[in-house]
Amino acid sequence: MAHPTYGLNELREMFLKFFETKEHLRLPSFSLIPQNDASLLLINSGMAPMKPWFTGEEEPPRHRVCTCQKCIRTGDIENIGKTARHGTYFEMLGNFSFGDYFKRDAIHWAWEFLTSPEWVGLEPDRLYPSVFAGNETTPADDEAFAIWRDEIGIPEDRIFKFGKEDNFWEHGSGPCGPCSEIYYDRGPEWGCGKPGCTVGCDCDRYIEVWNVVFSQFDNDGEGHYTELKQKNIDTGMGLERLACVSQNVASLFDVDTVMNITNKVSEITGAKYEQSDKIDVSLRVITDHIRSATFMICDGVLPSNEGRGYVLRRLLRRAARHGKLLGVDHPFLYEVCDTVVHENEGHYPELRERQAYITKVIRTEEENFAKTLDAGMKIYDEMLAAHKAQGETVFSGADAFKLYDTYGFPIDLTMEMAEEEGMTVDEAGFRALMEEQKVRARKAREALGDLGWAGIEFGKDMPATEFVGYDRTSEQGKILALVADGELRDE
Ligand code: SER
């Protein structure tokens, strides 16, 4: 029996509404920029901004909360565009309990939402749960297993047991615990066909749609676990993955709202989707990266050479290079921004409010990179030819560093280009040169200090400034200090 299909925006609303009927407080997505959490560059899951509510350090606005959270994960960046389910930007649907309900309700509601004809209405016999198999420190989750078998009625042989890698959720430090996942079987036509291909296989047949974490430990980031004061629920369901399943489409790039962005990229570049694998990868990389960039800039990230600013710069530069591969030789990413805003503004109205600003940031970064991209590509081709002439399969760290330092090529861009030629990059050599450069820069700064220039102290004791540029274009300010003639002057 086929299931009904729903648009991505509809599914988001359905999820939030469903959990409101279960007395959850619906909260808007938190910013992509973590607040008071040095362990993360960018928010990567629904629970990340709520850590103090899990640990009990802070009182939540309600003990049941549901959100649709903007997330960025760049760990699998090289897979983007090549698989059905990887993206750097995605939205995570989540229902959370802070010391309120636990395994039983979380499992029942997950099942009800996915299978009830009133809600998503997926076919129950295509769904497979998994539970934690246990290890030397944490016992097998017999309780979750029994709920699936005895209360939901799933036969034992359809419930999978996996180890820590799959069924124990943690991300850096913070609340974590064993989890129960729900996989959807898209059918053998999506499978790898290898013997033993089943739930948990890395191919595109069995898609993990939901992860229900029984969050009961706190990881100090060094692998030490302590029992949390309260037992919590942290669930996460990738909205694009759910839409992919609901809409019976090949990948998350074929989901309605995402496809509309790809169509816009096609319109601008003239590159048609589904004509060659290579073109598809470029179209998907651009689509994914422009989504990430738009949301990151909207939340206040600016391209830079450090931290999250560098994540943004890498995404924009990689997307720009894929534009080049599609034959575009002028800045164009900023033009796609309007479609990203259009597809998402219903749930994220701030995108439209900040659109002019976002577009300007993207365009400026594109124009800056365009100045060095062509020259850099020429040098890269020469370097590549020289390595090949020597019969080498490793692109040197020194060359990768020169491309970075002189032409602004992020290392993963060089790695991707080398990989296309069947080569690898000496990343360790590159990093060593980066480190040397940092030491040189530090020494230069210290030398500046030796000159007695008061600027080195400048700002040290200043209060933080508040950025108001999203809401106003003019504002009163107060000069707190001045440096003149090498001297720090008071007001
Ligand atoms: N934290 C879990 C995840 O990210 C569930 O929300 O998958």
Side-chain angles (χ1 to χ4, degrees), residues 216-270:
Q216 61 202 88
F217 301 110
D218 193 28
N219 180 351
D220 66 359
E222 317 260 317
H224 304 116
Y225 299 91
T226 44
E227 194 80 43
L228 286 170
K229 277 185 254 163
Q230 57 193 31
K231 289 193 176 11
N232 309 290
I233 287 295
D234 152 28
T235 77
M237 177 156 58
L239 175 58
E240 293 81 355
R241 282 195 192 183
L242 178 66
C244 179
V245 165
S246 174
Q247 296 172 17
N248 293 309
V249 291
S251 76
L252 46 90
F253 294 94
D254 299 87
V255 159
D256 56 344
T257 57
V258 187
M259 198 67 225
N260 288 340
I261 300 169
T262 306
N263 287 340
K264 178 71 181 179
V265 179
S266 281
E267 190 189 306
I268 299 173
T269 61

Short mmCIF file of all heavy atoms in Angstrom, two decimals, residues 216-270:
data_model
loop_
_atom_site.label_atom_id
_atom_site.label_comp_id
_atom_site.label_asym_id
_atom_site.label_seq_id
_atom_site.Cartn_x
_atom_site.Cartn_y
_atom_site.Cartn_z
N GLN A 216 20.40 10.12 29.35
CA GLN A 216 20.47 9.96 30.81
C GLN A 216 21.89 10.10 31.37
O GLN A 216 22.09 9.97 32.57
CB GLN A 216 19.87 8.61 31.21
CG GLN A 216 20.56 7.40 30.61
CD GLN A 216 19.65 6.20 30.59
OE1 GLN A 216 18.89 5.97 29.65
NE2 GLN A 216 19.71 5.42 31.64
N PHE A 217 22.89 10.34 30.46
CA PHE A 217 24.27 10.53 30.94
C PHE A 217 24.78 11.90 30.52
O PHE A 217 24.28 12.51 29.58
CB PHE A 217 25.21 9.48 30.34
CG PHE A 217 24.83 8.08 30.67
CD1 PHE A 217 24.32 7.23 29.68
CD2 PHE A 217 24.96 7.59 31.96
CE1 PHE A 217 23.95 5.93 29.97
CE2 PHE A 217 24.60 6.28 32.27
CZ PHE A 217 24.09 5.45 31.26
N ASP A 218 25.84 12.34 31.21
CA ASP A 218 26.53 13.55 30.80
C ASP A 218 27.96 13.14 30.49
O ASP A 218 28.64 12.54 31.32
CB ASP A 218 26.49 14.57 31.95
CG ASP A 218 26.91 15.95 31.48
OD1 ASP A 218 26.70 16.25 30.28
OD2 ASP A 218 27.44 16.72 32.28
N ASN A 219 28.41 13.45 29.28
CA ASN A 219 29.79 13.13 28.89
C ASN A 219 30.62 14.40 29.07
O ASN A 219 30.26 15.45 28.55
CB ASN A 219 29.78 12.68 27.41
CG ASN A 219 31.17 12.33 26.90
OD1 ASN A 219 32.16 12.58 27.57
ND2 ASN A 219 31.21 11.76 25.71
N ASP A 220 31.73 14.29 29.80
CA ASP A 220 32.53 15.49 30.05
C ASP A 220 33.41 15.85 28.85
O ASP A 220 34.24 16.76 28.92
CB ASP A 220 33.37 15.33 31.32
CG ASP A 220 34.44 14.25 31.17
OD1 ASP A 220 34.51 13.62 30.08
OD2 ASP A 220 35.20 14.04 32.12
N GLY A 221 33.27 15.12 27.76
CA GLY A 221 34.06 15.41 26.56
C GLY A 221 35.34 14.59 26.54
O GLY A 221 36.07 14.56 25.56
N GLU A 222 35.67 13.91 27.66
CA GLU A 222 36.88 13.08 27.75
C GLU A 222 36.47 11.62 27.88
O GLU A 222 37.29 10.79 28.26
CB GLU A 222 37.70 13.45 28.99
CG GLU A 222 37.83 14.92 29.25
CD GLU A 222 39.16 15.46 28.78
OE1 GLU A 222 40.16 14.78 29.04
OE2 GLU A 222 39.18 16.50 28.13
N GLY A 223 35.22 11.34 27.65
CA GLY A 223 34.77 9.95 27.71
C GLY A 223 34.35 9.50 29.10
O GLY A 223 34.18 8.32 29.36
N HIS A 224 34.20 10.45 30.05
CA HIS A 224 33.71 10.08 31.38
C HIS A 224 32.21 10.38 31.45
O HIS A 224 31.80 11.50 31.17
CB HIS A 224 34.42 10.86 32.49
CG HIS A 224 35.91 10.71 32.44
ND1 HIS A 224 36.74 11.76 32.20
CD2 HIS A 224 36.68 9.61 32.55
CE1 HIS A 224 37.99 11.32 32.19
NE2 HIS A 224 37.98 10.02 32.38
N TYR A 225 31.45 9.36 31.84
CA TYR A 225 30.00 9.51 31.86
C TYR A 225 29.50 9.58 33.30
O TYR A 225 29.90 8.76 34.12
CB TYR A 225 29.32 8.33 31.18
CG TYR A 225 29.72 8.18 29.73
CD1 TYR A 225 30.81 7.39 29.36
CD2 TYR A 225 29.03 8.86 28.74
CE1 TYR A 225 31.20 7.29 28.04
CE2 TYR A 225 29.40 8.75 27.41
CZ TYR A 225 30.49 7.97 27.07
OH TYR A 225 30.86 7.87 25.76
N THR A 226 28.64 10.55 33.57
CA THR A 226 27.97 10.53 34.88
C THR A 226 26.46 10.51 34.62
O THR A 226 26.00 11.05 33.62
CB THR A 226 28.31 11.79 35.71
OG1 THR A 226 28.24 12.92 34.86
CG2 THR A 226 29.66 11.70 36.36
N GLU A 227 25.77 9.88 35.51
CA GLU A 227 24.30 9.79 35.40
C GLU A 227 23.71 11.19 35.60
O GLU A 227 24.10 11.90 36.53
CB GLU A 227 23.86 8.83 36.51
CG GLU A 227 22.47 8.29 36.46
CD GLU A 227 22.27 7.11 35.51
OE1 GLU A 227 23.10 6.18 35.44
OE2 GLU A 227 21.23 7.15 34.85
N LEU A 228 22.83 11.62 34.72
CA LEU A 228 22.18 12.92 34.88
C LEU A 228 21.17 12.86 36.04
O LEU A 228 20.67 11.78 36.36
CB LEU A 228 21.44 13.32 33.61
CG LEU A 228 22.29 13.77 32.42
CD1 LEU A 228 21.42 13.89 31.17
CD2 LEU A 228 22.98 15.09 32.71
N LYS A 229 20.87 14.05 36.59
CA LYS A 229 19.92 14.09 37.71
C LYS A 229 18.55 13.56 37.29
O LYS A 229 17.80 13.03 38.06
CB LYS A 229 19.75 15.55 38.17
CG LYS A 229 20.84 16.00 39.11
CD LYS A 229 20.53 17.39 39.61
CE LYS A 229 21.46 18.38 38.93
NZ LYS A 229 21.22 19.73 38.91
N GLN A 230 18.23 13.80 36.00
CA GLN A 230 16.90 13.42 35.53
C GLN A 230 17.03 12.62 34.23
O GLN A 230 18.01 12.75 33.52
CB GLN A 230 16.09 14.69 35.26
CG GLN A 230 16.79 15.60 34.26
CD GLN A 230 16.19 17.00 34.19
OE1 GLN A 230 15.67 17.49 35.17
NE2 GLN A 230 16.24 17.62 33.02
N LYS A 231 16.01 11.84 33.93
CA LYS A 231 16.00 11.11 32.66
C LYS A 231 15.26 11.95 31.63
O LYS A 231 14.19 12.48 31.92
CB LYS A 231 15.30 9.77 32.84
CG LYS A 231 16.11 8.78 33.66
CD LYS A 231 15.51 7.42 33.53
CE LYS A 231 16.21 6.28 34.21
NZ LYS A 231 17.27 6.52 35.12
N ASN A 232 15.85 12.03 30.43
CA ASN A 232 15.30 12.93 29.41
C ASN A 232 15.05 12.20 28.10
O ASN A 232 15.59 11.11 27.88
CB ASN A 232 16.30 14.04 29.11
CG ASN A 232 16.79 14.74 30.36
OD1 ASN A 232 16.04 15.46 31.00
ND2 ASN A 232 18.04 14.49 30.71
N ILE A 233 14.31 12.84 27.25
CA ILE A 233 14.14 12.36 25.88
C ILE A 233 14.63 13.43 24.93
O ILE A 233 14.28 14.60 25.06
CB ILE A 233 12.65 12.02 25.59
CG1 ILE A 233 12.23 10.75 26.30
CG2 ILE A 233 12.40 11.89 24.08
CD1 ILE A 233 12.90 9.47 25.86
N ASP A 234 15.44 12.99 23.97
CA ASP A 234 15.96 13.89 22.93
C ASP A 234 15.75 13.17 21.61
O ASP A 234 16.45 12.22 21.30
CB ASP A 234 17.45 14.14 23.18
CG ASP A 234 18.21 14.45 21.91
OD1 ASP A 234 17.61 14.99 20.96
OD2 ASP A 234 19.43 14.16 21.87
N THR A 235 14.75 13.57 20.87
CA THR A 235 14.55 12.89 19.58
C THR A 235 14.98 13.80 18.44
O THR A 235 14.94 15.02 18.57
CB THR A 235 13.07 12.51 19.34
OG1 THR A 235 12.37 13.68 18.95
CG2 THR A 235 12.45 11.89 20.56
N GLY A 236 15.37 13.18 17.36
CA GLY A 236 15.77 13.96 16.19
C GLY A 236 15.35 13.25 14.92
O GLY A 236 15.59 12.05 14.75
N MET A 237 14.66 14.00 14.07
CA MET A 237 14.26 13.42 12.78
C MET A 237 14.62 14.44 11.71
O MET A 237 14.18 15.60 11.76
CB MET A 237 12.75 13.14 12.79
CG MET A 237 12.26 12.60 11.46
SD MET A 237 10.76 11.64 11.64
CE MET A 237 9.65 12.80 12.39
N GLY A 238 15.43 14.03 10.75
CA GLY A 238 15.83 14.93 9.67
C GLY A 238 14.60 15.24 8.82
O GLY A 238 13.99 14.33 8.25
N LEU A 239 14.24 16.51 8.75
CA LEU A 239 13.03 16.89 8.00
C LEU A 239 13.17 16.52 6.52
O LEU A 239 12.23 16.01 5.90
CB LEU A 239 12.78 18.40 8.17
CG LEU A 239 11.63 19.00 7.37
CD1 LEU A 239 10.30 18.33 7.69
CD2 LEU A 239 11.52 20.51 7.64
N GLU A 240 14.34 16.77 5.95
CA GLU A 240 14.51 16.47 4.52
C GLU A 240 14.44 14.97 4.26
O GLU A 240 13.92 14.53 3.24
CB GLU A 240 15.87 17.00 4.02
CG GLU A 240 15.98 18.52 4.01
CD GLU A 240 16.31 19.14 5.36
OE1 GLU A 240 16.36 18.39 6.36
OE2 GLU A 240 16.51 20.35 5.42
N ARG A 241 14.98 14.18 5.20
CA ARG A 241 14.91 12.72 5.03
C ARG A 241 13.47 12.23 5.09
O ARG A 241 13.05 11.37 4.32
CB ARG A 241 15.71 12.01 6.12
CG ARG A 241 17.16 12.03 5.86
CD ARG A 241 17.82 11.02 6.76
NE ARG A 241 19.26 11.23 6.74
CZ ARG A 241 20.12 10.48 7.36
NH1 ARG A 241 19.70 9.46 8.09
NH2 ARG A 241 21.41 10.71 7.28
N LEU A 242 12.73 12.79 6.05
CA LEU A 242 11.33 12.40 6.17
C LEU A 242 10.58 12.77 4.89
O LEU A 242 9.78 11.98 4.37
CB LEU A 242 10.70 13.11 7.38
CG LEU A 242 9.22 12.84 7.61
CD1 LEU A 242 8.99 11.37 7.98
CD2 LEU A 242 8.64 13.74 8.69
N ALA A 243 10.89 13.95 4.36
CA ALA A 243 10.22 14.40 3.13
C ALA A 243 10.61 13.50 1.96
O ALA A 243 9.79 13.16 1.11
CB ALA A 243 10.59 15.85 2.84
N CYS A 244 11.86 13.08 1.95
CA CYS A 244 12.37 12.19 0.90
C CYS A 244 11.56 10.89 0.88
O CYS A 244 11.13 10.40 -0.16
CB CYS A 244 13.84 11.95 1.19
SG CYS A 244 14.70 10.90 0.09
N VAL A 245 11.32 10.35 2.08
CA VAL A 245 10.55 9.11 2.22
C VAL A 245 9.08 9.37 1.86
O VAL A 245 8.48 8.63 1.08
CB VAL A 245 10.69 8.57 3.66
CG1 VAL A 245 9.66 7.52 3.96
CG2 VAL A 245 12.09 8.02 3.88
N SER A 246 8.51 10.43 2.40
CA SER A 246 7.10 10.72 2.16
C SER A 246 6.84 10.97 0.68
O SER A 246 5.83 10.55 0.13
CB SER A 246 6.67 11.93 2.99
OG SER A 246 5.36 12.30 2.66
N GLN A 247 7.78 11.64 0.03
CA GLN A 247 7.58 12.00 -1.38
C GLN A 247 8.11 10.93 -2.35
O GLN A 247 8.04 11.11 -3.57
CB GLN A 247 8.27 13.35 -1.67
CG GLN A 247 7.65 14.49 -0.88
CD GLN A 247 8.43 15.82 -0.96
OE1 GLN A 247 9.26 15.99 -1.85
NE2 GLN A 247 8.14 16.73 -0.06
N ASN A 248 8.66 9.85 -1.81
CA ASN A 248 9.21 8.76 -2.66
C ASN A 248 10.20 9.28 -3.69
O ASN A 248 10.15 8.89 -4.86
CB ASN A 248 8.10 8.03 -3.42
CG ASN A 248 7.19 7.26 -2.50
OD1 ASN A 248 7.66 6.49 -1.67
ND2 ASN A 248 5.89 7.50 -2.63
N VAL A 249 11.08 10.17 -3.28
CA VAL A 249 12.06 10.69 -4.24
C VAL A 249 13.44 10.13 -3.94
O VAL A 249 13.69 9.59 -2.86
CB VAL A 249 12.09 12.24 -4.27
CG1 VAL A 249 10.80 12.78 -4.87
CG2 VAL A 249 12.34 12.81 -2.88
N ALA A 250 14.33 10.27 -4.94
CA ALA A 250 15.61 9.58 -4.87
C ALA A 250 16.50 10.07 -3.73
O ALA A 250 17.15 9.26 -3.05
CB ALA A 250 16.35 9.75 -6.20
N SER A 251 16.57 11.38 -3.52
CA SER A 251 17.50 11.87 -2.51
C SER A 251 16.92 13.11 -1.87
O SER A 251 15.91 13.65 -2.34
CB SER A 251 18.83 12.25 -3.16
OG SER A 251 18.70 13.49 -3.83
N LEU A 252 17.60 13.59 -0.83
CA LEU A 252 17.05 14.79 -0.19
C LEU A 252 17.14 16.01 -1.09
O LEU A 252 16.48 17.01 -0.86
CB LEU A 252 17.67 15.05 1.19
CG LEU A 252 19.15 14.98 1.42
CD1 LEU A 252 19.78 16.32 1.19
CD2 LEU A 252 19.38 14.52 2.84
N PHE A 253 17.91 15.90 -2.15
CA PHE A 253 17.98 17.00 -3.12
C PHE A 253 16.76 17.02 -4.05
O PHE A 253 16.53 17.98 -4.76
CB PHE A 253 19.26 16.92 -3.94
CG PHE A 253 20.46 17.14 -3.07
CD1 PHE A 253 21.15 16.07 -2.52
CD2 PHE A 253 20.86 18.42 -2.75
CE1 PHE A 253 22.23 16.29 -1.67
CE2 PHE A 253 21.93 18.65 -1.91
CZ PHE A 253 22.61 17.57 -1.37
N ASP A 254 16.02 15.92 -4.04
CA ASP A 254 14.84 15.84 -4.91
C ASP A 254 13.55 16.20 -4.18
O ASP A 254 12.47 16.14 -4.75
CB ASP A 254 14.74 14.42 -5.49
CG ASP A 254 15.96 14.08 -6.31
OD1 ASP A 254 16.96 13.59 -5.73
OD2 ASP A 254 15.95 14.33 -7.51
N VAL A 255 13.70 16.55 -2.92
CA VAL A 255 12.54 16.98 -2.12
C VAL A 255 12.04 18.33 -2.65
O VAL A 255 12.85 19.15 -3.09
CB VAL A 255 13.00 17.08 -0.64
CG1 VAL A 255 12.10 17.96 0.17
CG2 VAL A 255 13.13 15.68 -0.05
N ASP A 256 10.74 18.55 -2.60
CA ASP A 256 10.14 19.72 -3.27
C ASP A 256 10.87 21.05 -3.09
O ASP A 256 11.33 21.67 -4.06
CB ASP A 256 8.65 19.87 -2.88
CG ASP A 256 8.41 19.97 -1.37
OD1 ASP A 256 9.32 19.63 -0.60
OD2 ASP A 256 7.30 20.40 -0.97
N THR A 257 11.04 21.49 -1.84
CA THR A 257 11.62 22.83 -1.64
C THR A 257 13.09 22.88 -2.05
O THR A 257 13.58 23.91 -2.52
CB THR A 257 11.49 23.26 -0.16
OG1 THR A 257 12.14 22.27 0.63
CG2 THR A 257 10.06 23.40 0.27
N VAL A 258 13.79 21.77 -1.87
CA VAL A 258 15.22 21.74 -2.21
C VAL A 258 15.37 21.73 -3.73
O VAL A 258 16.23 22.41 -4.30
CB VAL A 258 15.91 20.52 -1.55
CG1 VAL A 258 17.41 20.58 -1.76
CG2 VAL A 258 15.59 20.45 -0.06
N MET A 259 14.50 20.95 -4.38
CA MET A 259 14.55 20.87 -5.85
C MET A 259 14.31 22.24 -6.48
O MET A 259 14.89 22.57 -7.52
CB MET A 259 13.47 19.88 -6.32
CG MET A 259 13.68 19.38 -7.72
SD MET A 259 15.16 18.38 -7.79
CE MET A 259 15.91 18.99 -9.22
N ASN A 260 13.45 23.03 -5.84
CA ASN A 260 13.20 24.36 -6.40
C ASN A 260 14.47 25.21 -6.40
O ASN A 260 14.66 26.05 -7.27
CB ASN A 260 12.08 25.07 -5.60
CG ASN A 260 10.74 24.42 -5.90
OD1 ASN A 260 10.57 23.75 -6.92
ND2 ASN A 260 9.78 24.61 -5.01
N ILE A 261 15.32 24.97 -5.41
CA ILE A 261 16.60 25.71 -5.38
C ILE A 261 17.51 25.19 -6.49
O ILE A 261 18.12 25.96 -7.23
CB ILE A 261 17.27 25.57 -3.98
CG1 ILE A 261 16.33 26.14 -2.92
CG2 ILE A 261 18.62 26.26 -3.95
CD1 ILE A 261 16.72 25.84 -1.48
N THR A 262 17.57 23.86 -6.65
CA THR A 262 18.38 23.30 -7.74
C THR A 262 17.88 23.81 -9.09
O THR A 262 18.68 24.13 -9.98
CB THR A 262 18.31 21.75 -7.71
OG1 THR A 262 18.67 21.31 -6.41
CG2 THR A 262 19.25 21.12 -8.73
N ASN A 263 16.57 23.89 -9.23
CA ASN A 263 16.02 24.40 -10.51
C ASN A 263 16.49 25.81 -10.78
O ASN A 263 16.79 26.17 -11.93
CB ASN A 263 14.49 24.37 -10.49
CG ASN A 263 13.97 22.95 -10.60
OD1 ASN A 263 14.68 22.04 -11.06
ND2 ASN A 263 12.73 22.73 -10.17
N LYS A 264 16.58 26.60 -9.73
CA LYS A 264 17.06 27.97 -9.90
C LYS A 264 18.54 27.96 -10.33
O LYS A 264 18.95 28.72 -11.22
CB LYS A 264 16.87 28.74 -8.58
CG LYS A 264 17.36 30.15 -8.60
CD LYS A 264 16.47 31.03 -9.44
CE LYS A 264 16.99 32.45 -9.47
NZ LYS A 264 16.16 33.33 -10.29
N VAL A 265 19.32 27.07 -9.70
CA VAL A 265 20.74 26.97 -10.07
C VAL A 265 20.84 26.54 -11.55
O VAL A 265 21.66 27.06 -12.31
CB VAL A 265 21.49 25.97 -9.14
CG1 VAL A 265 22.96 25.86 -9.54
CG2 VAL A 265 21.38 26.40 -7.68
N SER A 266 19.98 25.61 -11.94
CA SER A 266 19.98 25.15 -13.34
C SER A 266 19.64 26.31 -14.28
O SER A 266 20.26 26.47 -15.34
CB SER A 266 18.91 24.07 -13.56
OG SER A 266 19.38 22.86 -13.10
N GLU A 267 18.66 27.08 -13.87
CA GLU A 267 18.22 28.20 -14.71
C GLU A 267 19.38 29.19 -14.93
O GLU A 267 19.62 29.64 -16.04
CB GLU A 267 17.07 28.89 -13.98
CG GLU A 267 16.31 29.92 -14.74
CD GLU A 267 15.36 30.65 -13.76
OE1 GLU A 267 14.57 29.98 -13.07
OE2 GLU A 267 15.47 31.89 -13.67
N ILE A 268 20.12 29.46 -13.86
CA ILE A 268 21.21 30.44 -13.98
C ILE A 268 22.40 29.85 -14.74
O ILE A 268 23.01 30.51 -15.56
CB ILE A 268 21.69 30.89 -12.58
CG1 ILE A 268 20.55 31.56 -11.82
CG2 ILE A 268 22.89 31.82 -12.68
CD1 ILE A 268 20.89 31.90 -10.37
N THR A 269 22.72 28.58 -14.44
CA THR A 269 23.93 28.00 -15.02
C THR A 269 23.68 27.34 -16.38
O THR A 269 24.62 27.08 -17.12
CB THR A 269 24.52 26.92 -14.07
OG1 THR A 269 23.53 25.88 -13.92
CG2 THR A 269 24.87 27.48 -12.72
N GLY A 270 22.45 27.02 -16.66
CA GLY A 270 22.14 26.31 -17.90
C GLY A 270 22.42 24.81 -17.80
O GLY A 270 22.21 24.06 -18.74
#
